[in-house]
Amino acid sequence: MWSTFVMTLKTNLRNKPALFWVIVFPLAVATLLNGMFGDLASGYEIKAVPLAVVQDANWKRAVGAQTFVNALSGTTTSNGAGLGATGSSAAGSDAAGSDQSAGTKAADSEAAGTESAGTESSGTDMRLVDATAVTSLDQARQTIAGATTDGYLSVDGSGRIVLTVSAAIANGSTNASESASNTHITIAALGEAIDLYNRTDTLTRQLLDTNPQAAASRSFWTSLNDITGMTRETTLTNFKPDAMARYYYALLGMSCLTAMGYAISAVTTAQANLSALGIRRTVAPLSRSAQLIAGFLASWLCSGLSLLIALAYIRYVCGIALGGREPAAALAVLLASFMACAFGTMIGAIPKLSHSVKTGLTSAIPCALSLFTGLYGGFAMSLSDWIARNAPAFGLINPAQQVTDLFYDILYYDGYGPFVATCARLLAMSAVFLIAAVVMLKEERYEHL
């Protein structure tokens, strides 16, 4: 049995078509995906937008506006320094009842909330604005016309901050300073922050008009800071996934199924009606079950190692993170390769099929089933999502989808419950494939050799 295992292992290593599909093909496709879409995720990151800040008379009367903009642009206002002169942002308690102090403290609370939200969500200060100080609206419009800014910030007669963007940004065109997607995402976040600032400032002034004594309460200002800092970036998944991760996992699902070619070769070379080697093995003293077990184990070893190479390449060369769950991913690959070998054993055991036909199924079946895992682009991914929502039973019987789900379970869930459930389904599939193979091989008989 050991000799059969070693010889099958050597035969698999000399099987160039199988080596191509299991090692070269996933590495080549992963490299292609990484080259074409490697920077796709960066298009969804928040990056500072160049904006002009109109520091006119209205701006100077809104004493908290400069503090707010400094928070968004990542600058400080120590000793009154900033983009330009502003009112004091540290009003004393003796002026707590005045409207100016109220507006300043409200703006400071808003700015503090903006800074804390950015810091807590990403671990570093999140800059939304690359500010350029101007003194009038005409100068601000000139910066837009000269393509040095994408818009400007100003204050209206009511003390509200107003964001104005260029026509190119409003119409969806890109600017040389940033990609279109980056700019639109940042503008959306900036609009929410400005809206929160205006609402907080208006509410604070209304409350102080009706109850001036509240300005002397420290808890009042603390509660404003708590409100402005309520919004936090969070994730519903185990960690922040890469935008292209799904395609790599679908690729692993296809590569796993192509590994069944090893098991198909191991079974067909033990059948007397398919090769001269099968005739010699049939009359050998080693039982057929021992030959098949040795061939299965050798095939599992080759396919498992090949897929581990593909997984390592995707993880460390292409940079597709697994959220610190690399051991679980390695276990997933080994279990998937076991299922693929069981599938290949069943295909190899089908009677009255030539070796060439069975070898052809090695690529035909994975290519067909991978359509429903989303490997072939946006349409295929939409089809995969539609099946998951409307026909989940079809995904349960698709081996390629189940292999892909192993990595989804690692990526999207906090616990390992879904991962264990998917592993159980793959083991059940493997058992069905092996039982079917045993039944077909057991009924196989030869009139003569």
Side-chain angles (χ1 to χ4, degrees):
M1 182 174 176
W2 173 252
S3 298
T4 303
F5 173 83
V6 173
M7 291 305 299
T8 304
L9 187 61
K10 291 181 179 180
T11 302
N12 290 339
L13 294 177
R14 298 189 186 104
N15 190 340
K16 295 180 180 179
L19 290 176
F20 171 81
W21 283 107
V22 181
I23 298 181
V24 179
F25 177 77
L27 297 186
V29 175
T31 302
L32 181 63
L33 290 174
N34 188 59
M36 294 178 60
F37 308 110
D39 295 330
L40 182 63
S42 63
Y44 298 93
E45 296 176 356
I46 292 180
K47 295 183 180 180
V49 175
L51 295 176
V53 178
V54 183
Q55 296 181 347
D56 54 9
N58 288 339
W59 184 272
K60 294 176 181 179
R61 283 195 296 269
V63 294
Q66 189 63 57
T67 304
F68 175 69
V69 171
N70 287 338
L72 295 178
S73 59
T75 60
T76 59
T77 57
S78 58
N79 298 326
L83 291 174
T86 65
S88 171
S89 62
S93 60
D94 56 337
S98 67
D99 287 343
Q100 181 178 6
S101 175
T104 302
K105 287 191 176 182
D108 288 345
S109 297
E110 169 63 22
T114 302
E115 286 187 307
S116 64
T119 301
E120 292 184 21
S121 63
S122 61
T124 58
D125 290 336
M126 183 181 295
R127 297 178 63 247
L128 297 180
V129 175
D130 184 7
T132 301
V134 297
T135 58
S136 66
L137 289 174
D138 290 337
Q139 290 184 4
R141 296 187 183 103
Q142 289 175 4
T143 61
I144 296 178
T148 57
T149 65
D150 290 331
Y152 60 86
L153 294 172
S154 60
V155 173
D156 61 15
S158 302
R160 297 171 60 86
I161 295 179
V162 179
L163 170 64
T164 304
V165 297
S166 66
I169 299 299
N171 295 330
S173 302
T174 185
N175 185 284
S177 59
E178 294 288 346
S179 68
S181 57
N182 288 130
T183 302
H184 293 158
I185 291 173
T186 306
I187 289 294
L190 183 59
E192 292 293 332
I194 292 174
D195 182 63
L196 180 59
Y197 168 88
N198 290 330
R199 286 188 286 109
T200 303
D201 181 72
T202 301
L203 178 62
T204 303
R205 293 180 185 278
Q206 291 176 352
L207 290 174
L208 291 177
D209 286 342
T210 58
N211 186 15
Q213 294 80 9
S217 173
R218 182 182 298 273
S219 60
F220 174 76
W221 302 110
T222 302
S223 65
L224 286 179
N225 189 48
D226 292 340
I227 293 174
T228 56
M230 287 176 63
T231 303
R232 297 290 185 271
E233 182 184 32
T234 186
T235 177
L236 300 178
T237 58
N238 176 48
F239 76 110
K240 185 178 180 179
D242 188 278
M244 291 298 298
R246 295 185 65 184
Y247 293 98
Y248 289 94
Y249 297 155
L251 173 62
L252 285 174
M254 178 179 179
S255 301
C256 169
L257 288 188
T258 58
M260 67 182 181
Y262 288 129
I264 291 177
S265 297
V267 174
T268 55
T269 53
Q271 292 176 301
N273 61 326
L274 296 180
S275 66
L277 177 59
I279 296 175
R280 293 194 297 270
R281 284 189 171 184
T282 301
V283 298
L286 185 64
S287 64
R288 176 181 291 186
S289 60
Q291 294 181 35
L292 293 175
I293 290 174
F296 181 88
L297 293 177
S299 301
W300 185 22
L301 178 61
C302 287
S303 60
L305 290 178
S306 301
L307 291 171
L308 285 175
I309 292 173
L311 175 66
Y313 184 84
I314 290 173
R315 170 62 185 89
Y316 296 106
V317 178
C318 299
I320 303 300
L322 294 169
R325 293 182 172 180
E326 285 77 8
L331 176 62
V333 165
L334 294 177
L335 182 60
S337 61
F338 181 87
M339 181 276 300
C341 290
F343 196 10
T345 301
M346 184 186 71
I347 298 296
I350 296 177
K352 299 181 180 180
L353 283 183
S354 65
H355 178 69
S356 59
V357 172
K358 294 177 181 178
T359 303
L361 293 176
T362 303
S363 57
I365 292 176
C367 289
L369 295 180
S370 294
L371 170 64
F372 307 104
T373 65
L375 179 61
Y376 304 134
F379 168 76
M381 197 62 72
S382 299
L383 177 61
S384 176
D385 294 338
W386 185 90
I387 291 174
R389 291 190 300 267
N390 301 283
F394 184 78
L396 292 176
I397 61 175
N398 185 349
Q401 183 63 60
Q402 291 303 305
V403 174
T404 306
D405 286 346
L406 281 175
F407 298 96
Y408 288 169
D409 297 338
I410 294 172
L411 179 68
Y412 294 119
Y413 293 96
D414 293 333
Y416 286 96
F419 176 75
V420 173
T422 306
C423 289
R425 288 193 291 270
L426 284 176
L427 288 175
M429 282 186 180
S430 302
V432 171
F433 296 151
L434 290 176
I435 291 173
V438 169
V439 171
M440 286 186 287
L441 290 173
K442 187 177 180 181
E443 297 297 327
E444 195 173 56
R445 296 291 186 270
Y446 306 103
E447 291 184 3
H448 59 82
L449 296 177

mmCIF file of all heavy atoms in Angstrom, residues 60 114 121 258 264 268-269 278 322 365:
data_model
loop_
_atom_site.group_PDB
_atom_site.id
_atom_site.type_symbol
_atom_site.label_atom_id
_atom_site.label_comp_id
_atom_site.label_asym_id
_atom_site.label_seq_id
_atom_site.Cartn_x
_atom_site.Cartn_y
_atom_site.Cartn_z
ATOM 1 N N LYS A 60 -16.719 85.603 10.421
ATOM 2 C CA LYS A 60 -16.123 86.073 11.672
ATOM 3 C C LYS A 60 -17.153 86.195 12.786
ATOM 4 O O LYS A 60 -16.817 86.036 13.962
ATOM 5 C CB LYS A 60 -15.429 87.415 11.427
ATOM 6 C CG LYS A 60 -14.230 87.307 10.502
ATOM 7 C CD LYS A 60 -13.621 88.664 10.204
ATOM 8 C CE LYS A 60 -12.429 88.513 9.251
ATOM 9 N NZ LYS A 60 -11.816 89.828 8.912
ATOM 10 N N THR A 114 -16.713 65.602 16.112
ATOM 11 C CA THR A 114 -16.198 65.205 14.794
ATOM 12 C C THR A 114 -14.826 64.584 14.922
ATOM 13 O O THR A 114 -14.538 63.551 14.323
ATOM 14 C CB THR A 114 -16.122 66.436 13.874
ATOM 15 O OG1 THR A 114 -17.415 67.021 13.773
ATOM 16 C CG2 THR A 114 -15.655 66.040 12.490
ATOM 17 N N SER A 121 -12.964 55.688 15.023
ATOM 18 C CA SER A 121 -13.336 54.761 13.965
ATOM 19 C C SER A 121 -12.145 54.209 13.223
ATOM 20 O O SER A 121 -12.159 53.081 12.778
ATOM 21 C CB SER A 121 -14.278 55.466 12.975
ATOM 22 O OG SER A 121 -13.596 56.541 12.353
ATOM 23 N N THR A 258 -11.225 21.638 -9.545
ATOM 24 C CA THR A 258 -10.319 21.118 -10.567
ATOM 25 C C THR A 258 -9.327 20.122 -9.982
ATOM 26 O O THR A 258 -8.751 19.302 -10.723
ATOM 27 C CB THR A 258 -9.548 22.262 -11.239
ATOM 28 O OG1 THR A 258 -8.812 22.991 -10.254
ATOM 29 C CG2 THR A 258 -10.486 23.203 -11.966
ATOM 30 N N ILE A 264 -9.547 11.318 -10.045
ATOM 31 C CA ILE A 264 -10.032 10.643 -11.251
ATOM 32 C C ILE A 264 -8.934 9.782 -11.860
ATOM 33 O O ILE A 264 -9.157 8.626 -12.233
ATOM 34 C CB ILE A 264 -10.543 11.680 -12.273
ATOM 35 C CG1 ILE A 264 -11.826 12.340 -11.760
ATOM 36 C CG2 ILE A 264 -10.787 11.029 -13.624
ATOM 37 C CD1 ILE A 264 -12.354 13.429 -12.665
ATOM 38 N N THR A 268 -9.103 5.698 -12.352
ATOM 39 C CA THR A 268 -9.096 5.122 -13.699
ATOM 40 C C THR A 268 -7.872 4.240 -13.947
ATOM 41 O O THR A 268 -7.950 3.267 -14.705
ATOM 42 C CB THR A 268 -9.135 6.243 -14.744
ATOM 43 O OG1 THR A 268 -8.054 7.158 -14.508
ATOM 44 C CG2 THR A 268 -10.459 6.982 -14.697
ATOM 45 N N THR A 269 -6.745 4.571 -13.308
ATOM 46 C CA THR A 269 -5.553 3.730 -13.488
ATOM 47 C C THR A 269 -5.662 2.416 -12.731
ATOM 48 O O THR A 269 -4.805 1.540 -12.888
ATOM 49 C CB THR A 269 -4.297 4.481 -13.019
ATOM 50 O OG1 THR A 269 -4.481 4.959 -11.683
ATOM 51 C CG2 THR A 269 -3.984 5.642 -13.936
ATOM 52 N N GLY A 278 -4.127 -0.603 -15.371
ATOM 53 C CA GLY A 278 -5.270 -1.109 -14.623
ATOM 54 C C GLY A 278 -5.343 -2.632 -14.645
ATOM 55 O O GLY A 278 -5.737 -3.259 -13.655
ATOM 56 N N LEU A 322 -7.602 37.863 5.859
ATOM 57 C CA LEU A 322 -8.536 36.870 6.388
ATOM 58 C C LEU A 322 -8.923 37.172 7.826
ATOM 59 O O LEU A 322 -9.478 36.320 8.519
ATOM 60 C CB LEU A 322 -7.916 35.465 6.312
ATOM 61 C CG LEU A 322 -7.685 34.932 4.892
ATOM 62 C CD1 LEU A 322 -6.828 33.678 4.930
ATOM 63 C CD2 LEU A 322 -9.015 34.643 4.201
ATOM 64 N N ILE A 365 -16.923 20.589 -15.272
ATOM 65 C CA ILE A 365 -17.770 20.720 -14.084
ATOM 66 C C ILE A 365 -17.401 21.948 -13.255
ATOM 67 O O ILE A 365 -18.277 22.743 -12.880
ATOM 68 C CB ILE A 365 -17.717 19.434 -13.242
ATOM 69 C CG1 ILE A 365 -18.390 18.279 -14.006
ATOM 70 C CG2 ILE A 365 -18.391 19.631 -11.886
ATOM 71 C CD1 ILE A 365 -18.305 16.938 -13.293
#
